[in-house]
Amino acid sequence: MNIDIRGYRGTIEDLDELLNEIRGFPCTLQLVDARAVAGSDHALHGALHALRAFERGQNISSDPGIEICLRIAGTRQISRALELLGVRKGEMEICAILVDCETDVQEFLDSRFQRDDRILEPDEDYLRSLYGLGEEVKTVGVENALMERTTMLQVL
């Protein structure tokens, strides 16, 4: 299994068209709002948990990309995960999670958006507010608090 986490900047003109193009690839390509991700390790952690959930038959969604969103967001509610992480029309900072994708997928993304992995650096104040993080961040930090929520989905 090969998982690649990439940061991009760009404008989404037609969201439906973009999503249809993504569905045409024979791999899992999930685009999420990079502002809602606490770094590439957080995205990787969510992707690994999502793929393991499928292996165990404990996935919440039948779609691997949606399962990745659920795990990154640390929630069982698809609507909440998409509210937090969903891409939208307009200018965006995008975290792309590629699972077992060939170079044509990378080329597609590079042709549509500007690669910029710096956007994967977390804005901790924004993330605290977005996810309603409390005192636990003083002990473990924002990234670890969010990854802990991902891990806790297995137990619940």
Side-chain angles (χ1 to χ4, degrees):
M1 175 180 351
N2 181 27
I3 302 173
D4 189 13
I5 310 296
R6 297 167 156 247
Y8 289 96
R9 291 180 187 278
T11 302
I12 298 174
E13 299 291 339
D14 186 332
L15 184 57
D16 290 332
E17 177 186 316
L18 176 64
L19 295 177
N20 284 331
E21 287 178 290
I22 288 171
R23 285 186 199 107
F25 290 114
C27 66
T28 299
L29 169 58
Q30 186 61 44
L31 304 180
V32 299
D33 183 346
R35 295 173 311 131
V37 178
S40 58
D41 286 345
H42 177 214
L44 178 62
H45 186 74
L48 287 170
H49 275 268
L51 298 171
R52 288 185 189 133
F54 271 94
E55 290 171 0
R56 291 188 310 268
Q58 295 176 332
N59 45 302
I60 299 164
S61 172
S62 61
D63 180 275
I66 298 297
E67 191 72 21
I68 288 170
C69 286
L70 289 165
R71 301 298 167 151
I72 291 172
T75 183
R76 295 182 156 288
Q77 299 174 349
I78 292 173
S79 61
R80 176 70 176 145
L82 294 177
E83 176 186 321
L84 292 168
L85 294 164
V87 293
R88 64 194 177 291
K89 186 177 177 179
E91 283 189 36
M92 288 220 56
E93 293 179 347
I94 300 166
C95 174
I97 300 122
L98 297 81
V99 180
D100 291 332
C101 293
E102 300 293 328
T103 56
D104 61 329
V105 177
Q106 297 167 8
E107 291 167 359
F108 166 78
L109 290 170
D110 290 345
S111 73
R112 297 282 307 253
F113 306 110
Q114 178 186 357
R115 177 85 186 259
D116 185 355
D117 289 334
R118 292 174 299 177
I119 62 133
L120 298 175
E121 295 173 15
D123 177 341
E124 293 191 353
D125 290 333
Y126 176 78
L127 291 166
R128 265 191 226 103
S129 173
L130 181 68
Y131 288 100
L133 297 173
E135 294 297 312
E136 73 269 25
V137 299
K138 290 181 181 176
T139 306
V140 299
V142 170
E143 182 180 44
N144 286 334
L146 291 173
M147 291 188 337
E148 185 175 301
R149 286 185 180 190
T150 297
T151 303
M152 292 304 294
L153 283 179
Q154 282 182 229
V155 181
L156 303 175

